[in-house]
Amino acid sequence: MSTTAELLKGAAELFPDEVVTSAHVRHFELPAGAGRFALITLDNGFDHTKPTTFGPQSLANLNTAIDQVEAEAANGEIVGVGITGKPFIFAVGADLKGVELLKKHDEALAIGKGGHDVFKRLSALAVPTFAYYNGAAMGGGVEVGLHCTYRTVSKALPAFSLPEVFLGLVPGWGGCAILPNLIGAEKAVSVIIENSLNQNRQLKGKQVFELGIADALFEGADFLEQSLIWTASVLNGSVTVDRPEIDRGEAWDQAVAKGRLVADSKVHGAAPAAYRALDIIEAAKDGDLQKGFDAEDQALADLIMGGELRSGIYAFNLVQKRGKRPAGAPDKSLARPVTKVGVVGAGLMASQLALLFLRRLEVPVVLTDIDQERVDKGVGYVHGEIEKLLGKGRINQDKANRLKGLVSGVLDKAEGFADADFIIEAVFEEMGVKQKVFAEVEAVAPAHAILATNTSSLSVSEMASKLQHPERVVGFHFFNPVAILPLLEIVRGEKTDDASLATAFGVAKKLKKTAVLTKDAPAFVVNRILTRFMGEIQNVIDEGTSVETAEKAIEPLGLPMSPLVLLELVGPAIGLHVSETLNRAFPERFIVSPNLKAVVEAGKRGFYVYKPENGFKPELDPEVAALLVQGDSVLTEEQVRDRVLDAVAQEIGLMLEEGVVAEAQDIDLCLITGAGWPFHLGGITPYLDREGVSERVNGKRFLAQGVASVPA
């Protein structure tokens, strides 16, 4: 039987590039004569921009620190042990770079077991142990604290979570077993399942305390000092920590059942992690923690060797790394400063853009439109949203006043744009209208100003073709809702110069958007793939398959919403417009659905109605059903799914051949950040590779073996 030290030594050899976390032990006398105390500080030697993680060598270092304090506790030299982190960071869990390297089930099992063997020593010491969550704590960072006897948390803590299910793992170092036994199954399911599947929602310090995960809450400024005073009070008996009794009856079973419903609604059984976590929570009902730890080890090893986790890590790395360093972006030193922004249009999209530029850049923003009423409405929308932020305490009165003072609206473009550095249009999606707007703007804007278009599918080059300076026109395509979806497709027209493009990327970064460079090709990236995807669904319906079968066929992918619900969100008229644009470019692959046309002409907002008596579930609108003209070719769910995935794989293959983006990674980044496609698909190309679709359609994988998959 290997010792923990041997296990970790073997794992460390597999991962030579680990950013190693030290575990420093220092001693001092607690206040009020409570006795000598040992404090372990986790620190990787970098500032807060490189958070502390646990790779095998880091776990070994913590194990060595525990050897020391264990001996001191056994000898009666200390009264307690605390664990905390470097400034702003407690610890953010396992080092995922190491997980990617694992090739065998027993290697993965060793990582799970190694973490458990180290962490559970904290609960076995001869003295009480305390975790002081001073800063960001995630995954294994949360779990190391769960093994302690007591926990305190800082009010300033910005992010606390068990995000494993989001990535395709389970909290595997005690989270699934200990948390429900600490705070009850209902709250634990909320933290482990619901928050993870809601785009990895984070808890703040106050919420951690209110949930009962932490026993005390202190201000950030003197957090450690207050925690140590409290620790002294606990140790000398003047403070007792009462925890509510855990309901191990029906409430536990109901919580697990609710968790399964949440998982079904989010991933439709397509990704196993949530269900494995729920199985462990279900089994933890009897309070046997060791049995729970063993189940966590097995689940962790199985999932590490599965495709969903590899896709999840790949997706996480795309968003965290590639998303911050866009492929093909020009040298940022070429970017020009932006001190004033102009917005052409004052409708909802234009107003959302104005608000975003105002909040992120904090420079003057001016809107124009064709009449005063529209201008006033646009400025009014921005003011209203600022008031909402003020009401929620997100900004103070001074900031609200300043932001309101920076936004204005005028009818005269010459007056509004004469000193603007960046002007974006968000007017009707029609080439003639956009060309006319750009001609008017070019006549009054300074020579250096960037002219950006928020077009979703039209040619940026054609839009710029009649201008004297087409080199300063750039596509700047946002996704709705603007405040929520991170993607910004930056489109380089045929004449766009590097300085204009660099300025666009610089602005995108200040807007905190994930920018992806795309070629000026019809519908760019997301809309082209979604239109092909949804077009194939429409085709099978038009040919004779029922709406219900066509929709259900896609459920195993675990997408955030079904294709026809997505069409409703986008708006059938916009969907039709984009499919007509793509039909003109690629008539052999993009067919304009006569049924979709009929739905738009009838003024319907979608295919479904939602009735309270049916729990607001989508039901086919009888009026839409009456409009549908279908053939007699009926497919099964499996046949529909194959056809749709084949179409998507073909389209992505063609887009890469055309050089629409640099690599398949950019396609995936776009689908994750612009369409909310899940991490367990890795966007889409890892899934197409995993299911054999890529090779069936294109004769080759999109990604090399080992990228978003287990290394060969």
Side-chain angles (χ1 to χ4, degrees):
M1 192 61 189
S2 298
T3 65
T4 302
E6 286 165 348
L7 267 180
L8 293 172
K9 187 168 182 287
E13 284 165 7
L14 295 170
F15 184 20
D17 299 327
E18 177 185 352
V19 176
V20 177
T21 296
S22 301
H24 307 289
V25 182
R26 57 192 169 117
H27 298 87
F28 40 78
E29 293 296 321
L30 285 170
R36 190 166 180 261
F37 190 75
L39 180 67
I40 300 170
T41 303
L42 303 169
D43 191 346
N44 62 5
F46 293 92
D47 69 12
H48 66 279
T49 59
K50 197 163 200 144
T52 305
T53 51
F54 292 118
Q57 185 56 53
S58 306
L59 286 171
N61 289 346
L62 178 57
N63 200 44
T64 302
I66 296 172
D67 285 341
Q68 180 186 337
V69 296
E70 183 181 58
E72 291 169 354
N75 294 335
E77 295 166 24
I78 52 173
V79 294
V81 174
I83 186 164
T84 193
K86 67 184 184 182
F88 310 110
I89 305 286
F90 182 78
V92 298
D95 191 322
L96 294 175
K97 292 197 295 298
V99 173
E100 284 177 276
L101 300 171
L102 300 175
K103 296 180 184 180
K104 299 192 190 114
H105 193 274
D106 58 350
E107 292 171 357
L109 199 61
I111 288 290
K113 202 166 163 2
H116 273 128
D117 288 352
V118 175
F119 288 1
K120 70 187 185 190
R121 294 181 68 195
L122 289 165
S123 57
L125 294 179
V127 293
T129 48
F130 298 79
Y132 306 130
Y133 291 124
N134 63 303
M138 294 170 205
V142 167
E143 289 170 300
V144 70
L146 294 178
H147 285 268
C148 294
T149 327
Y150 305 99
R151 284 155 295 282
T152 67
V153 67
S154 165
K155 278 186 189 173
L157 182 145
F160 182 104
S161 63
L162 289 168
E164 287 83 353
V165 165
F166 176 65
L167 292 171
L169 275 174
V170 297
W173 285 341
C176 290
I178 300 172
L179 194 63
N181 281 290
L182 176 69
I183 63 173
E186 187 183 359
K187 290 176 183 173
V189 164
S190 171
V191 173
I192 293 169
I193 307 296
E194 281 189 82
N195 287 359
S196 274
L197 293 179
N198 279 317
Q199 293 300 312
N200 191 20
R201 185 190 293 150
Q202 301 293 318
L203 299 168
K204 301 270 193 275
K206 187 164 178 275
Q207 294 167 296
V208 174
F209 172 66
E210 287 166 352
L211 281 165
I213 299 172
D215 304 301
L217 176 73
F218 299 114
E219 292 291 347
D222 56 352
F223 170 70
L224 189 58
E225 189 184 339
Q226 291 302 320
S227 292
L228 292 170
I229 292 168
W230 181 83
T231 297
S233 303
V234 170
L235 291 172
N236 67 25
S238 60
V239 165
T240 53
V241 173
D242 293 317
R243 297 194 183 123
E245 201 171 321
I246 301 301
D247 186 333
R248 297 181 186 280
E250 203 177 317
W252 194 290
D253 302 333
Q254 283 172 350
V256 172
K258 183 188 170 198
R260 293 193 195 283
L261 287 175
V262 169
D264 286 344
S265 75
K266 292 288 185 183
V267 298
H268 310 284
Y275 303 97
R276 292 294 293 266
L278 286 161
D279 290 345
I280 301 167
I281 294 169
E282 186 172 37
K285 185 176 173 180
D286 62 3
D288 183 342
L289 292 182
Q290 187 52 53
K291 188 176 82 181
F293 296 163
D294 292 342
E296 286 176 349
D297 287 343
Q298 276 306 325
L300 210 54
D302 292 349
L303 292 166
I304 284 172
M305 299 316 292
E308 287 84 2
L309 170 70
R310 303 299 172 135
S311 294
I313 295 174
Y314 163 81
F316 182 78
N317 288 336
L318 286 183
V319 172
Q320 295 298 321
K321 294 175 185 167
R322 195 178 184 94
K324 293 180 170 62
R325 288 191 286 280
D331 190 322
K332 57 177 184 264
S333 67
L334 298 172
R336 293 191 284 262
V338 172
T339 58
K340 183 178 179 181
V341 173
V343 182
V344 187
L348 183 58
M349 188 66 176
S351 304
Q352 287 184 62
L353 296 181
L355 178 70
L356 180 70
F357 278 96
L358 185 67
R359 288 197 64 202
R360 297 280 184 247
L361 271 59
E362 295 191 21
V363 299
V365 176
V366 60
L367 297 105
T368 66
D369 212 315
I370 53 174
D371 59 51
Q372 193 62 46
E373 189 184 340
R374 291 179 201 217
V375 169
D376 292 344
K377 192 176 175 189
V379 174
Y381 168 86
V382 177
H383 281 196
E385 292 301 306
I386 292 167
E387 282 296 328
K388 284 184 198 168
L389 292 169
L390 178 64
K392 289 177 187 166
R394 304 266 298 277
I395 55 174
N396 61 25
Q397 188 67 59
D398 278 354
K399 181 88 173 264
N401 293 345
R402 193 165 81 253
L403 290 176
K404 280 187 187 175
L406 285 170
V407 67
S408 61
V410 294
L411 285 175
D412 182 0
K413 291 186 180 68
E415 181 190 339
F417 299 157
D419 55 349
D421 306 302
F422 191 97
I423 301 161
I424 184 164
E425 69 73 25
V427 299
F428 186 64
E429 190 75 348
E430 203 272 309
M431 184 58 77
V433 175
K434 290 187 185 283
Q435 284 180 331
K436 180 172 178 286
V437 160
F438 268 164
E440 290 170 1
V441 171
E442 187 179 48
V444 298
H448 69 273
I450 304 299
L451 307 185
T453 168
N454 184 44
T455 182
S456 58
S457 60
L458 300 176
S459 166
V460 174
S461 304
E462 191 183 338
M463 216 177 287
S465 63
K466 295 181 179 174
L467 298 179
Q468 289 178 314
H469 294 285
E471 70 278 359
R472 55 176 171 159
V473 176
V474 63
F476 214 64
H477 178 220
F478 290 87
F479 288 78
N480 221 344
V482 170
I484 294 169
L485 288 173
L487 181 64
L488 186 49
E489 290 177 339
I490 295 186
V491 186
R492 180 170 210 152
E494 283 170 23
K495 302 270 176 74
T496 309
D497 64 20
D498 281 356
S500 301
L501 203 59
T503 306
F505 274 101
V507 169
K509 189 168 187 180
K510 285 185 179 156
L511 294 175
K512 298 188 177 170
K513 291 294 179 187
T514 300
V516 174
L517 178 63
T518 112
K519 185 179 165 184
D520 186 17
F524 317 125
V525 179
V526 172
N527 284 340
R528 180 161 163 186
I529 293 168
L530 290 187
T531 304
R532 185 78 199 271
F533 170 77
M534 287 159 72
E536 215 51 57
I537 295 279
Q538 293 276 195
N539 291 344
V540 300
I541 294 170
D542 293 354
E543 290 163 19
T545 300
S546 72
V547 168
E548 187 184 6
T549 301
E551 288 269 83
K552 280 194 75 167
I554 304 304
E555 278 188 3
L557 272 75
L559 295 175
M561 61 188 78
S562 77
L564 293 181
V565 172
L566 175 62
L567 181 69
E568 208 165 285
L569 185 74
V570 170
I574 293 173
L576 178 65
H577 169 76
V578 178
S579 80
E580 286 170 342
T581 302
L582 283 158
N583 169 258
R584 285 193 293 275
F586 311 114
E588 69 289 354
R589 298 196 309 280
F590 290 87
I591 297 164
V592 178
S593 162
N595 281 320
L596 177 58
K597 216 168 188 172
V599 167
V600 173
E601 283 166 3
K604 303 302 292 183
R605 294 183 59 184
F607 276 63
Y608 293 127
V609 285
Y610 302 85
K611 296 177 186 163
E613 62 268 27
N614 191 26
F616 295 102
K617 286 190 179 129
E619 278 179 66
L620 187 59
D621 182 339
E623 291 178 19
V624 170
L627 291 171
L628 295 182
V629 177
Q630 293 182 281
D632 53 10
S633 171
V634 179
L635 301 183
T636 64
E637 285 178 26
E638 194 175 347
Q639 287 170 323
V640 172
R641 188 161 56 252
D642 283 350
R643 190 161 144 186
V644 171
L645 291 175
D646 284 5
V648 170
Q650 182 195 30
E651 204 57 41
I652 293 170
L654 291 166
M655 289 166 73
L656 292 171
E657 275 176 31
E658 291 167 31
V660 175
V661 288
E663 292 182 288
Q665 281 87 335
D666 294 309
I667 300 267
D668 293 321
L669 183 59
C670 284
L671 285 172
I672 292 161
T673 56
W677 281 31
F679 271 34
H680 69 255
L681 295 180
I684 187 63
T685 69
Y687 179 81
L688 296 173
D689 285 350
R690 193 161 76 227
E691 297 295 312
V693 182
S694 314
E695 294 200 37
R696 182 170 77 226
V697 174
N698 300 322
K700 60 182 181 182
R701 297 168 61 94
F702 286 114
L703 302 166
Q705 185 72 41
V707 178
S709 55
V710 177

